Amino acid sequence: MRLDTLRAMPFASAAEHLAAEFRWLDARLAAHVRRLRAEGRFDDSPLRGLRLEEGPVLAALGPDRAAPSDACRGREVIDGRAAAGPPPPLYRIARAFGLDAFARSALLVAAAPALDARYGAALALAQNDATRHTATPDLLAEMLDPVHRVDRLATFAPGAPLLRLRLLRTAEVPAPLAIRALHVDDRVALALAGSSGGLPPGLDAALLRIDPADEDWAPDLLAVPDGTAPVVVWEADRDSGQRVLAARRAHRAGGDLLIFDPSRLPADSLEAEQVILAFREALLTGAHLHVEAADLAPDGAAAAALCVLADTGSAFTVSAGPDLGYRLARSANVERVVLPPLDATARLAWWRAATPHDPDVARRAWRSRLGPSGIGRCRATDPDAPDRPLPALLRPVHSRWTRDDLVVNDTLARQLDELTAFVRNWPRVLGDWGFGAADPQSRHCLALLSGPSGTGKTMAASVVARAAGLPLYRASLAAIFDKYLGETEKQIDRLFGAAADAGIALLFDEADALFGARTEGGDAHARYANLTVSHLLQRIEDHEGFVALTSNLPRNMDEAFTRRITHSIAFTLPDAAGRLSLWRKAIP
């Protein structure tokens, strides 16, 4: 077959391409060993500690001992066939990572021992050292481009794409640049063979690969520019449409959407390294990477890794807070886009698009802070299921009681019925009737149930939540308080954030311990307690949902909380008729 005809034939598979590459590599290795011997640089001394028999190793490389000119023609054929059809994995990966022809060939040689056992001994023979079963920069430079050997060593510097993006790795023990052992990990080796396996342990839990169409299912509801720079940072609350915009960019690029959430990594993971590996995975598979970095510290190692990746010029998107967004925007490749807040009115439109025939859609929009991505996942799952796992400081209250089980006087019964009607109907009043836009303060419902112990306060809170269709969770005060400065406020943020995301009702038993009155002056402990109460006031003010407080000592609570209470119900001990009714219910 003529060479020009062969060059026009595309490879049928990744395996066929690798077989051609290995035939070319066989010829280069054999020519390299012959050149060492011809130049008198091959050591045949019997004093060497370990010997390699040249004959068997060369025989394993195949009978064809091509001359250097023949090997060059083989390279031209492979390049021509790779360009004639869809690029093989090696060529596609090289283009995605910005590798030149030399770096691409170096990657192939370094990966050869991971794909074919013959090359462990062949590389050792090529280096005249039986202990070296992997390639070194010196070997690769001399074998692939001996004329520019010294210049080619820069390809293997730590800041070059091959090592910076973890296509190649070096041994943990430091060594001079020219003799560093180079190898590839399992993920890169399998990617060169066209396989998708081999993800590092722990990384798979933080990566989610989805079809862009699964995110951008209601395109008319988010008319926000998605940015034009290679790297776009969207500053907004979690799930405010960032994934939808990332899906649009992935759709334009013709690839999948790869979501990386560092908060799902194991506790002992190195976040900076995992960020780089997630970026590498997107390039290996041709996907668009979107990083959920809202929880990353702006001065941490993971944030620094994102800044390094932004300077590469490759396209990816980030969901981050203002501090991290400002740091990333120092790169010329980064564009910051501030998304508008997603209020309950906007969520109602997304819920109606997702569940157009749901008669309870207004309640879902007002009881949950789910964004477009969470709402989209609820289309195929249980709409009442939490989008994210609830933290351990929230414990479910399993209620077996109904309204008929409550034995209270007529005044208390009327107040509880009013509270139940308020919680059950406020989605319709605020959402469908539009009162929420006119009065933003009406979006939270704070009920104080006070009175002596044993009068039914916790029972009443569970009955109200059950009648309104809301799961009730008790906040653990022991888990909220922390002796370290600032940690209590973080726990309060986690609690209210998780409650808003999941659309649950909150119960604070013995609330006077957490909502106690602030004091003037005092020592550092008192000032810290005042700071905690002030932060709690702010979160109560911003929270959209039903919060029930029970207390035996309501007078000990801060006055600022009493001004925010929408319903205050005082429980009293039952009279004789009430006690008789309780006994009758208790004894079958």
Side-chain angles (χ1 to χ4, degrees), residues 109-110 113-114 119-124 127 129-137 139-140 169 171 179-184:
V109 178
Y119 292 107
L123 292 176
Q127 299 173 89
D129 188 341
T131 64
R132 292 186 176 276
H133 294 274
T134 59
T136 61
L139 170 66
L140 294 171
R169 294 181 178 272
I179 59 173
R180 288 176 187 169
L182 302 173
H183 66 281
V184 301

Side-chain angles (χ1 to χ4, degrees), residues 98-125:
L99 306 181
D100 58 17
F102 173 82
R104 183 187 67 215
S105 297
L107 175 61
L108 171 74
V109 178
L115 298 170
D116 193 327
R118 296 179 302 140
Y119 292 107
L123 292 176
L125 182 67

